[in-house]
Amino acid sequence: MKFLILTLALISAFFVSAIYAESLGPDMSDLKNPNQEGTICIKANGTEGCGYSLSEAEQTACASYANSYPLPPATSGYRYSSASCSGDSEPVLSLYGNYACTASWCEEPWFPEENLIKNISVSYNGYSEKDGYYCPPTGFDNYTIQVPNPDTSDDALPIMCAKELPPIIDSDCPEPTDSDPFVFGTSTGSTSVCFPASDGRQCEIQTDSNGGYYLPVSYGSTEPVACSPDPEPDPDPDPDPEPEPDPQPMPDPEPSPDPTPADGSTSSDSLGALNKVNKNLDAINTNMVSGFDLNNKNLQTVTGEIRNSNDLLSSIKSNTTKIVSEMDTVGDGIGELNDFTKEGNLKLDKSNEELEESTDLQREILNELKKQNNTTVENKFNPNESQSFYESVYENGFQGVWEIQSEAILQTGLFQFLEQFKLSFSGGSAPDMKICFNVMVDLGCKVIPFDWTVILPFLKLCILLTAAFTCRKIIFGG
């Protein structure tokens, strides 16, 4: 068990981090300029290689040439197995292989050791200097991904440095911690694993390309569930309508103004009389205008009251329509409830009928049981006069079988073999110790060499000693 735990720990240490660090792709919205350094390039037999020095460029070019070099066919004296470069400056191509083993003591046709077979000179040409770019740039250690520069203008750099996209974490999932265990997957592509969250929602975790993911430590004993869309949040309820303001009451009608008094005196002078007439006519006009203005104001007041009454009637009509609509909805609900109630009543009636039928059946069964309890049955069964359903082949049992088959059994090879161990000492001579081994396979007969001149005196001594101890026990006891 300790070895198993240690193995799992080593696997987690060496492989889990690589799976977890699988790139989600470069963040193209945030790019940094790469570091720039000059490089030297050269060709080895047409294969180019670059480095920060001429020697490094030659080694790189020669190594690339060696990787693509076709090995020559084997000969009677040696065979080629690999090619590599040798030397610091203008390295040569070295061919390695095995020499043939033709001596009589050789167990294999080729020596197992790999040796240098020959060196091939390499031609170096095409020297050039190029600008080299690499990531991460100084001061931005997490911008390690080289991406093509989106700017394709002539003076733009060929590459840019990008950082990895941050992992997408569901807002319904707990925050990642260092204690979250890694769960290995078996799928061949990225999938989603969901766990139940609060309010009927789900925590959706995106796996890597192998199906592995980090499980929040709080979900340690929770089983994953089938992923489904999160429910839409309930919309905010409609705000209560603002109460309609009460109509402003119209002012009371203004009282009639006092009329302008007229001059009712008489005058003998015609000019004075005309002046009085004009003055009285002016008073009449003034009074008529004042009356008309008052009537207009009163009419405006009446019109405002009528308008307020119309608004109140319109509001009453609208509220009445809403009430009627809600009452219709309530009526439909009551109708459905009545239908359900009728259906329930029918089912209850059917259940009552079935219950009554069951009760009647139980009553009949109870009556039959009572009748059976009150009935006395006389037992007239006589086993001696009854015929058995089983017919025995061996009526006398094992004893009868033995009496019939014992003679045949005693004549078998096994019993004949055992009979040979019954020794006969008749006539004062040693018994015959010839034993035949033909129990199942005839293995022939063998004579067991017994030295009876030694065995018989020993048996005699044992018998005498046994007799002496027996006599002592009889006489003295104990």
Side-chain angles (χ1 to χ4, degrees):
M1 179 59 72
K2 291 182 178 179
F3 177 75
L4 178 60
I5 294 175
L6 179 60
T7 303
L8 292 176
L10 291 175
I11 291 174
S12 300
F14 286 101
F15 296 104
V16 168
S17 60
I19 295 175
Y20 183 65
E22 183 173 345
S23 176
L24 298 177
D27 185 1
M28 299 299 293
S29 63
D30 185 11
L31 302 178
K32 303 296 182 183
N33 291 331
N35 282 338
Q36 183 175 355
E37 186 172 351
T39 58
I40 298 174
C41 297
I42 199 169
K43 293 182 180 180
N45 286 358
T47 303
E48 187 178 50
C50 299
Y52 295 111
S53 64
L54 178 59
S55 176
E56 184 179 352
E58 290 174 345
Q59 293 288 346
T60 304
C62 183
S64 299
Y65 175 64
N67 290 334
S68 60
Y69 183 79
L71 295 176
T75 65
S76 60
Y78 45 78
R79 62 178 180 180
Y80 298 96
S81 59
S82 63
S84 61
C85 296
S86 303
D88 295 332
S89 177
E90 293 189 357
V92 297
L93 183 66
S94 301
L95 300 182
Y96 293 86
N98 309 100
Y99 286 99
C101 183
T102 58
S104 59
W105 46 266
C106 293
E107 297 180 357
E108 297 292 337
W110 305 96
F111 286 104
E113 297 82 6
E114 190 177 61
N115 296 285
L116 175 63
I117 303 299
K118 64 178 179 179
N119 290 324
I120 301 175
S121 61
V122 179
S123 174
Y124 294 91
N125 52 27
Y127 177 89
S128 63
E129 295 183 3
K130 297 181 180 180
D131 290 332
Y133 303 94
Y134 61 92
C135 296
T138 304
F140 301 96
D141 295 338
N142 57 335
Y143 288 76
T144 58
I145 305 176
Q146 293 186 8
V147 295
N149 193 346
D151 185 3
T152 58
S153 59
D154 294 338
D155 56 347
L157 298 177
I159 66 168
M160 297 293 285
C161 298
K163 63 181 179 180
E164 292 183 1
L165 285 170
I168 301 174
I169 301 176
D170 192 346
S171 59
D172 296 314
C173 297
E175 289 294 330
T177 64
D178 295 336
S179 303
D180 294 345
F182 186 80
V183 179
F184 290 91
T186 57
S187 64
T188 57
S190 178
T191 59
S192 295
V193 181
C194 295
F195 293 88
S198 59
D199 298 333
R201 299 176 66 84
Q202 291 183 341
C203 165
E204 184 175 357
I205 302 175
Q206 195 74 17
T207 68
D208 57 24
S209 59
N210 298 317
Y213 61 94
Y214 272 87
L215 175 67
V217 67
S218 58
Y219 290 161
S221 59
T222 305
E223 293 292 331
V225 297
C227 294
S228 60
D230 289 330
E232 294 294 334
D234 294 333
D236 295 334
D238 295 334
D240 294 334
E242 294 292 335
E244 296 181 1
D246 294 333
Q248 294 295 330
M250 299 302 295
D252 294 332
E254 295 182 4
S256 301
D258 293 333
T260 301
D263 187 1
S265 64
T266 60
S267 177
S268 59
D269 186 6
S270 59
L271 182 59
L274 288 174
N275 289 333
K276 289 181 180 179
V277 170
N278 290 331
K279 184 178 180 180
N280 289 333
L281 289 175
D282 182 64
I284 293 171
N285 289 332
T286 301
N287 291 333
M288 291 180 65
V289 171
S290 299
F292 290 149
D293 291 341
L294 180 61
N295 289 334
N296 288 334
K297 290 182 179 180
N298 290 336
L299 287 174
Q300 291 178 359
T301 301
V302 173
T303 302
E305 292 290 348
I306 294 173
R307 186 180 297 110
N308 290 339
S309 299
N310 290 336
D311 293 340
L312 290 174
L313 290 173
S314 177
S315 177
I316 292 172
K317 180 181 179 181
S318 176
N319 292 333
T320 303
T321 302
K322 291 181 180 179
I323 293 172
V324 171
S325 177
E326 292 178 358
M327 290 183 65
D328 291 339
T329 304
V330 173
D332 294 338
I334 294 174
E336 293 179 359
L337 181 61
N338 291 333
D339 294 338
F340 289 145
T341 303
K342 291 179 181 179
E343 184 177 357
N345 291 334
L346 292 176
K347 291 182 179 180
L348 286 175
D349 294 339
K350 185 176 181 181
S351 298
N352 290 333
E353 293 176 357
E354 293 177 352
L355 183 60
E356 291 177 358
E357 293 178 359
S358 176
T359 303
D360 294 339
L361 290 175
Q362 291 178 5
R363 188 179 294 107
E364 292 178 2
I365 293 172
L366 183 61
N367 293 333
E368 291 294 331
L369 290 175
K370 288 181 179 179
K371 291 180 181 179
Q372 295 294 330
N373 291 333
N374 295 331
T375 302
T376 301
V377 179
E378 183 178 357
N379 187 6
K380 297 182 180 182
F381 177 72
N382 186 359
N384 296 327
E385 297 180 358
S386 300
Q387 184 177 2
S388 174
F389 292 101
Y390 172 72
E391 295 181 1
S392 177
V393 178
Y394 305 100
E395 296 181 358
N396 296 326
F398 291 103
Q399 182 64 30
V401 174
W402 175 253
E403 290 176 355
I404 297 174
Q405 302 294 338
S406 60
E407 291 298 329
I409 294 173
L410 294 176
Q411 297 301 321
T412 59
L414 176 61
F415 280 88
Q416 293 296 323
F417 173 74
L418 296 176
E419 285 291 332
Q420 298 179 86
F421 290 94
K422 293 182 179 181
L423 303 179
S424 175
F425 294 92
S426 61
S429 60
D432 184 11
M433 296 304 297
K434 182 180 180 181
I435 305 297
C436 295
F437 297 90
N438 57 352
V439 178
M440 300 194 58
V441 180
D442 190 1
L443 302 176
C445 299
K446 302 293 181 181
V447 177
I448 301 175
F450 279 97
D451 189 359
W452 293 105
T453 58
V454 177
I455 296 175
L456 288 178
F458 176 74
L459 294 175
K460 181 178 179 181
L461 177 61
C462 292
I463 292 172
L464 292 175
L465 287 173
T466 303
F469 283 113
T470 303
C471 292
R472 177 190 174 281
K473 181 177 181 181
I474 295 173
I475 295 172
F476 300 103

